[in-house]
Amino acid sequence: MKKILGVFAIILMLGLGWSQGSVYAKSDDAKIEATNFLKGSGIITNVEEKKDTVTLTVETTGKEPQITFYTVTSETMIYNSGSTKKMEKAAFQKGQQIDAYYGKDKPMLMIYPPQISPELVVVHDAKTFGSVKVGKFDEELRSLDNKLNLKVDSKTTFENTEGEKIERQDLSGKELIVFYTVATKSIPAQTAPTKVVAISPEKAEEAVEASNFVKFSGVITDITNDKNQVALTVVTEEDEPTTTIFTLDNNVLLLNGTNAEAVKKESFQVGQKIDAYYDKNKPMILIYPARITPEILIVQDKEKVSFSKVSKFDQDMISLDGELKLNISTETEILNENGEVITKKDLEGKELIVFYNITTKSIPAQTVPTKIVAVNYLSADLKQIINDDHFIQNGVKMIPLLQVAEQLGYKVESYPASSQKTVTLTKGNSSIKVIRNMNIYSYNKSLRLFLERPVLKDKKTYVSEEILDILK
């Protein structure tokens, strides 16, 4: 019963989470979201420490508790509600009550228990009482959901998420973490906060994900081969192992972790260790064990030590999670996912599969990669379409939706006569619905935002270029 209710809760969250998570304040010009975050609360029942992360198993209180796995990284903001001080991720303990805040636009996987990487975790101090409010506030320091009004005084301290002192005027336009002890029973409640932490817009929005993929590592325990489709049963190497079945079709990129060469799906053996990467937005059937078709699967060699990383990298070749810096040499082989040789310049804006042997112990670690494979590589034909037909709107490149989508194999249906003027793209299990003149679009029934609203120009619909991350 617990698992059924949990799955039902996830369906509700995925189907309704955008509308529920978007609390609005009234405005003459437009509706303003009261917070960029969704909140999950509960008691820590297990703490699992890994090399760079801590995974918290958290259960809600009540007759039918729901379980969520929260993965805490070095980027996660952690505060104690009583002392208002920052905490290290190593300080988590069983029995602690926490509130986890994560971006409302963060892609959610249809699995139970949910697995979430929060931007902020607040640990409730068992000895020192303290309340916390996370949200946006107006110029009078009234929360946009009209629940709390701040009456700051000389005892209130202001700082940013780096712990640096700031002034009251620096709070404008930022999401705030407010620490306080008592509040009036008025509407809105009023309080003299002890500390106010301003979250930078970059942290609050988390517009750029470090990777489009979720990683699953484990050992192959069973292999089935039916009608040209191979299914690998993979079990994690943990105290409480998780099982996932990975189905391999001809579109999965299969690589050897040692030499980065392509492998055949018929060559897998029981006992091999693999790393599977699948699109975090991939629709999934709510069953256990989960059954997933990954985009990338890397098999590890038992005898030869080698490493691989899948991530996005910036212009300095530093991964967006800040963990690895690439020092590309003339010996580094650079390819696209089709095996064609490309240049370092072609890597910009792509998800990279990086193969390497050794790294420095610096932060970030540095390595000279042996091979780099660029995923989401744009073909010459697609590049030509975009180069020949685009324009810049408010600093954002707008590209022709129909031509780009059809080049990538999508079926495009336009409904210009409808009140919403929608365009629907379908390909396999992927479905995207775009509404002209609105920056909201749906991807596999989850709502997302464009950087710039789609527009109709010369009888063609143009959308902002970041849609390529999903279409590819």
Side-chain angles (χ1 to χ4, degrees):
M1 176 62 73
K2 183 188 294 185
K3 182 169 287 189
I4 293 174
L5 289 174
V7 170
F8 181 67
I10 297 171
I11 295 173
L12 286 177
M13 179 171 60
L14 288 168
L16 303 177
W18 189 87
S19 59
Q20 290 176 338
S22 302
V23 183
Y24 291 105
K26 293 181 180 179
S27 169
D28 294 335
D29 299 322
K31 292 182 177 180
I32 303 173
E33 295 182 38
T35 180
N36 290 322
F37 297 105
L38 291 175
K39 175 183 174 182
S41 302
I43 306 295
I44 298 175
T45 59
N46 188 55
V47 179
E48 183 179 352
E49 296 186 24
K50 296 184 178 180
K51 180 181 178 182
D52 300 309
T53 64
V54 172
T55 300
L56 308 176
T57 303
V58 177
E59 290 192 15
T60 58
T61 57
K63 294 182 180 179
E64 295 285 348
Q66 308 302 319
I67 299 173
T68 302
F69 295 143
Y70 292 107
T71 301
V72 180
T73 70
S74 58
E75 298 298 315
T76 309
M77 299 176 287
I78 310 168
Y79 287 91
N80 181 295
S81 67
S83 69
T84 75
K85 294 180 179 179
K86 278 190 171 184
M87 297 175 57
E88 297 295 330
K89 60 180 183 291
F92 287 111
Q93 299 177 13
K94 291 183 181 180
Q96 288 175 329
Q97 181 179 345
I98 70 161
D99 295 328
Y101 297 84
Y102 53 96
K104 65 176 184 59
D105 295 318
K106 185 183 290 291
M108 301 288 295
L109 300 175
M110 295 185 71
I111 57 176
Y112 183 81
Q115 299 181 26
I116 301 170
S117 295
E119 278 72 48
L120 167 67
V121 176
V122 175
V123 179
H124 290 281
D125 196 310
K127 297 180 180 179
T128 306
F129 174 78
S131 297
V132 177
K133 167 82 173 173
V134 177
K136 297 178 183 177
F137 289 73
D138 62 20
E139 293 181 355
E140 297 176 353
L141 292 186
R142 182 185 292 110
S143 63
L144 297 194
D145 61 9
N146 201 39
K147 291 184 177 180
L148 191 65
N149 191 16
L150 307 185
K151 299 297 183 181
V152 299
D153 56 26
S154 59
K155 295 181 181 179
T156 305
T157 60
F158 304 105
E159 62 182 48
N160 58 26
T161 53
E162 304 302 319
E164 301 165 336
K165 300 297 181 182
I166 58 176
E167 302 297 327
R168 184 191 186 285
Q169 59 264 30
D170 297 324
L171 305 180
S172 178
K174 297 184 176 64
E175 191 109 6
L176 305 182
I177 309 172
V178 179
F179 298 88
Y180 62 100
T181 53
V182 295
T184 66
K185 295 184 179 180
S186 58
I187 299 177
Q190 299 189 41
T191 187
T194 54
K195 179 186 284 188
V196 178
V197 178
I199 307 175
S200 66
E202 292 79 12
K203 269 194 172 292
E205 295 174 5
E206 291 289 350
V208 180
E209 295 283 344
S211 175
N212 290 322
F213 298 105
V214 174
K215 179 182 178 182
F216 186 99
S217 301
V219 177
I220 300 173
T221 60
D222 187 54
I223 301 173
T224 60
N225 194 334
D226 183 32
K227 296 181 179 179
N228 202 37
Q229 187 179 74
V230 174
L232 309 178
T233 300
V234 181
V235 180
T236 58
E237 297 181 291
E238 300 171 343
D239 293 336
E240 296 183 6
T242 301
T243 301
T244 299
I245 299 173
F246 291 102
T247 56
L248 309 182
D249 58 25
N250 293 329
N251 295 319
V252 181
L253 190 60
L254 305 175
L255 299 170
N256 184 299
T258 301
N259 56 23
E261 297 295 333
V263 299
K264 295 182 178 180
K265 61 178 181 290
E266 296 82 11
S267 66
F268 289 100
Q269 301 175 12
V270 171
Q272 287 178 322
K273 291 184 179 181
I274 63 103
D275 296 325
Y277 297 85
Y278 55 93
D279 185 347
K280 62 178 59 175
N281 296 299
K282 183 184 289 293
M284 297 185 190
I285 301 172
L286 290 168
I287 57 173
Y288 185 82
R291 195 176 184 94
I292 304 169
T293 300
E295 276 65 45
I296 305 165
L297 194 144
I298 299 173
V299 59
Q300 304 298 338
D301 194 306
K302 292 182 179 180
E303 300 178 356
K304 297 180 180 180
V305 177
S306 59
F307 304 95
S308 58
K309 182 176 183 65
V310 177
S311 178
K312 296 177 184 177
F313 288 74
D314 64 17
Q315 293 180 343
D316 296 321
M317 288 290 110
I318 299 175
S319 61
L320 297 194
D321 59 11
E323 294 181 354
L324 188 65
K325 184 180 189 306
L326 308 183
N327 297 318
I328 299 175
S329 73
T330 56
E331 301 297 320
T332 303
E333 189 176 4
I334 306 176
L335 308 173
N336 64 22
E337 57 191 289
N338 298 319
E340 301 164 337
V341 176
I342 57 177
T343 66
K344 179 181 177 180
K345 184 179 179 180
D346 296 321
L347 299 179
E348 186 175 343
K350 312 295 189 305
E351 190 104 10
L352 306 183
I353 311 172
V354 180
F355 298 88
Y356 58 99
N357 295 320
I358 57 175
T359 65
T360 65
K361 293 183 178 180
S362 59
I363 299 176
Q366 299 189 39
T367 188
V368 178
T370 56
K371 179 182 283 190
I372 299 174
V373 178
V375 185
N376 295 338
Y377 184 80
L378 299 184
S379 68
D381 290 339
L382 186 55
K383 278 186 177 181
Q384 193 65 47
I385 289 173
I386 296 173
N387 288 338
D388 291 345
D389 189 7
H390 74 271
F391 61 92
I392 305 300
Q393 180 168 290
N394 295 326
V396 176
K397 180 184 283 189
M398 307 294 289
I399 61 176
L401 180 60
L402 173 64
Q403 289 84 349
V404 168
E406 288 184 338
Q407 178 67 28
L408 293 171
Y410 283 81
K411 179 182 178 182
V412 182
E413 296 178 283
S414 181
Y415 303 94
S418 68
S419 59
Q420 292 185 321
K421 299 179 176 61
T422 60
V423 180
T424 300
L425 318 177
T426 54
K427 179 181 178 182
N429 292 327
S430 295
S431 176
I432 303 167
K433 181 176 288 186
V434 176
I435 304 173
R436 285 204 302 271
N437 297 321
M438 294 184 67
N439 66 342
I440 299 171
Y441 69 100
S442 69
Y443 175 46
N444 291 335
K445 298 183 179 180
S446 66
L447 294 179
R448 302 170 73 93
L449 296 176
F450 280 121
L451 291 175
E452 191 68 22
R453 292 182 179 184
V455 297
L456 183 66
K457 183 179 180 181
D458 299 328
K459 298 183 179 180
K460 290 188 288 186
T461 299
Y462 290 80
V463 297
S464 52
E465 188 181 31
E466 83 269 11
I467 198 173
L468 289 172
D469 288 339
I470 290 178
L471 294 179
K472 284 287 288 175

